[in-house]
Amino acid sequence: MSKKPLHFNSKAIHGGQEPDAAYGAVMPPIYQTSTYAQSTPGGHKGYEYSRSANPTRTALEKSLASIENGDYGLAFASGLSAIDAVIKLLSPGDEVISTNDLYGGSYRLFKKVFEKYGITFHFVGMTDLGKIEEKINEKTRLLWVETPTNPMMNVIDIKGASDLAKRYNLLLAVDNTFATPYLQRPLDLGADIVMHSATKYLGGHSDVVVGALVVREKELAEKLYFIQNASGAVCGPMDSFLVLRGIKTLHVRMQRHCENGEAIARYLREHPGIEKVYWPGFEDHPNHEIAKRQMSHFGGMISFIPKGSSFKDAVKIVEKLQVFTLAESLGGVESLAGHPASMTHASIPKEEREKSGVVDALIRLSVGIEDVRDLIADLEQALS
Ligand SMILES: Cc1ncc(COP(=O)(O)O)c(C=O)c1O
């Protein structure tokens, strides 16, 4: 492989990859093994035990580092276990600031698991950097940013957050699940840690649950590798292989997700039965200018509110969809629809979620890569 820096689409396929040393396999074999023979105690070929490292996972971790323009990648059993590892960098008494329309599972991990170990979490409208700065005090250690947010599609200024993090000596972590490195590369914008639910666009085929972290700094990477091995929430070789295979088509899938997403966002916006559509590509989206600056397109995630709809009406609409599948998750080749109030965000108290716009009638779409005419026809019949 040439040592010349590759463009993104080539990195998705070749980044960090070498033909397998044993037989030149182009795809890394699925090293389905827990342990490795040693000639003498400690005499091994770089692998001792698969919780610590596994060659298929290493291939994925190198690919992740490459596509995010980082130096170190870490693969986990799920997106949440990747977040869990980041929070374990902290100590009792430390404080974290995050966004008030965070993915429900991240919110639950922060509030219901880590708060009882003495870590405090603040949730603010991070689209306004001033709100972040107001909450920073001497105990603050980490800014946890998700952008675009799930499901309100709010856009947070990564470069602005990174300037704040540097000024106050904080770590900045960005959940890049929605955008993927095809659209946005947080490390280039000054983040210290980028995180993924690789279950979504990176895997891309709704067939695996995996999480990822990528960093540039060696000392930070070593702390995270220690936690990864010590806590042990690693992904298996088969799952590593599936995500690696997914990443090889990330750029072509994302291009179509973006095209279909835009067509559907514009269709919904024109629809007389729709009150509001949330998609960062609209010129009147509150942080559209920032989205344009930090993303190369606007992605395939859209939320909308049907006019005069209640919880029940929204449920009826998602039940009527036929090409869109009513399901949790996002980022696969197939289009999915969700009802955040009763599904992904049910773990957030109603009052709390409504403050950030996650009302009972909100519907979220993960626009897939089917023929967009079929997707629009499906929405048309469900909304009629
Ligand atoms: C933005 C975001 N972050 C994190 C997660 C958690 O990832 P996982 O389900 O792989 O644990 C999700 C899952 O939906 C997500 O949407």
Side-chain angles (χ1 to χ4, degrees):
M1 178 60 37
S2 108
K3 293 284 172 243
K4 227 176 130 203
L6 298 173
H7 293 100
F8 183 83
N9 295 357
S10 309
K11 282 187 178 182
I13 297 168
H14 299 294
Q17 306 302 297
E18 299 288 346
D20 186 63
Y23 297 107
V26 167
M27 273 304 278
I30 301 161
Y31 281 97
Q32 194 71 49
T33 186
S34 60
T35 192
Y36 306 81
Q38 306 193 11
S39 53
T40 182
H44 54 75
K45 298 178 177 166
Y47 293 90
E48 288 172 280
Y49 184 60
S50 281
R51 171 164 35 73
S52 312
N54 170 284
T56 320
R57 197 173 91 222
T58 304
L60 170 62
E61 291 177 333
K62 288 188 168 167
S63 166
L64 292 164
S66 167
I67 57 176
E68 282 289 2
N69 287 347
D71 292 313
Y72 304 94
L74 299 96
F76 291 84
S78 67
L80 282 174
S81 57
I83 303 174
D84 179 272
V86 175
I87 305 302
K88 284 175 176 162
L89 292 168
L90 307 179
S91 304
D94 289 348
E95 297 193 3
V96 180
I97 303 173
S98 190
T99 180
N100 62 0
D101 62 339
L102 190 66
Y103 163 63
S106 309
Y107 177 90
R108 181 178 54 201
L109 177 65
F110 292 170
K111 293 293 286 183
K112 303 262 169 80
V113 178
F114 280 107
E115 218 158 61
K116 68 171 185 278
Y117 294 105
I119 298 169
T120 302
F121 297 87
H122 301 284
F123 300 93
V124 301
M126 279 190 154
T127 51
D128 175 356
L129 293 174
K131 293 256 164 50
I132 305 179
E133 193 163 12
E134 270 170 28
K135 277 276 178 246
I136 296 177
N137 63 49
E138 68 286 354
K139 294 181 187 156
T140 312
R141 295 285 173 273
L142 171 71
L143 303 182
W144 185 271
V145 165
E146 184 185 300
T147 181
T149 59
N150 179 5
M152 297 312 296
M153 309 302 147
N154 283 316
V155 171
I156 298 165
D157 180 353
I158 298 174
K159 172 77 177 57
S162 137
D163 291 344
L164 273 180
K166 286 186 174 48
R167 189 168 340 136
Y168 291 95
N169 198 21
L170 314 174
L171 277 177
L172 171 64
V174 177
D175 183 335
N176 203 25
T177 299
F178 267 38
T180 85
Y182 176 79
L183 297 177
Q184 153 183 299
R185 289 183 282 278
L187 298 180
D188 289 350
L189 298 166
D192 301 289
I193 302 174
V194 56
M195 174 266 153
H196 278 277
S197 169
T199 314
K200 312 294 174 357
Y201 288 104
L202 300 189
H205 296 75
S206 307
D207 51 10
V208 72
V209 175
V210 166
L213 298 177
V214 181
V215 302
R216 280 187 180 159
E217 212 190 283
K218 187 159 188 257
E219 200 184 321
L220 180 58
E222 280 168 357
K223 285 183 189 162
L224 289 166
Y225 282 126
F226 176 81
I227 293 167
Q228 183 193 38
N229 182 45
S231 288
V234 293
C235 69
M238 180 69 195
D239 291 353
S240 301
F241 174 88
L242 285 170
V243 175
L244 199 50
R245 183 163 75 160
I247 289 173
K248 286 177 192 283
T249 56
L250 178 66
H251 50 301
V252 279
R253 287 185 286 107
M254 284 308 291
Q255 189 177 355
R256 186 59 59 85
H257 282 296
C258 290
E259 285 166 18
N260 284 0
E262 172 155 13
I264 288 178
R266 296 198 186 284
Y267 156 80
L268 286 171
R269 177 121 142 170
E270 294 302 310
H271 194 288
I274 303 299
E275 187 177 306
K276 179 99 185 123
V277 184
Y278 300 92
W279 179 68
F282 290 133
E283 272 162 26
D284 57 358
H285 180 283
N287 270 353
H288 177 67
E289 285 310 313
I290 292 165
K292 266 201 333 203
R293 217 181 305 141
Q294 68 188 22
M295 301 170 76
S296 56
H297 206 287
F298 306 106
M301 295 301 301
I302 299 165
S303 292
F304 68 97
I305 303 174
K307 239 179 223 162
S309 261
S310 63
F311 187 99
K312 259 193 175 160
D313 301 324
V315 168
K316 230 184 254 163
I317 292 169
V318 292
E319 281 175 353
K320 273 170 84 179
L321 289 165
Q322 291 166 5
V323 182
F324 282 84
T325 302
L326 173 60
E328 304 260 357
S329 203
L330 60 108
V333 289
E334 60 291 287
S335 292
L336 302 181
H339 179 237
S342 62
M343 296 167 74
T344 45
H345 289 62
S347 58
I348 304 181
K350 182 174 159 80
E351 266 171 45
E352 200 61 38
R353 70 173 156 76
E354 291 203 334
K355 263 194 247 161
S356 58
V358 186
V359 295
D360 284 350
L362 189 81
I363 293 173
R364 190 191 76 180
L365 301 178
S366 168
V367 178
I369 62 171
E370 299 95 335
D371 191 308
V372 74
R373 292 169 296 187
D374 295 325
L375 299 177
I376 289 177
D378 194 29
L379 287 165
E380 188 73 27
Q381 66 78 23
L383 291 167
S384 63

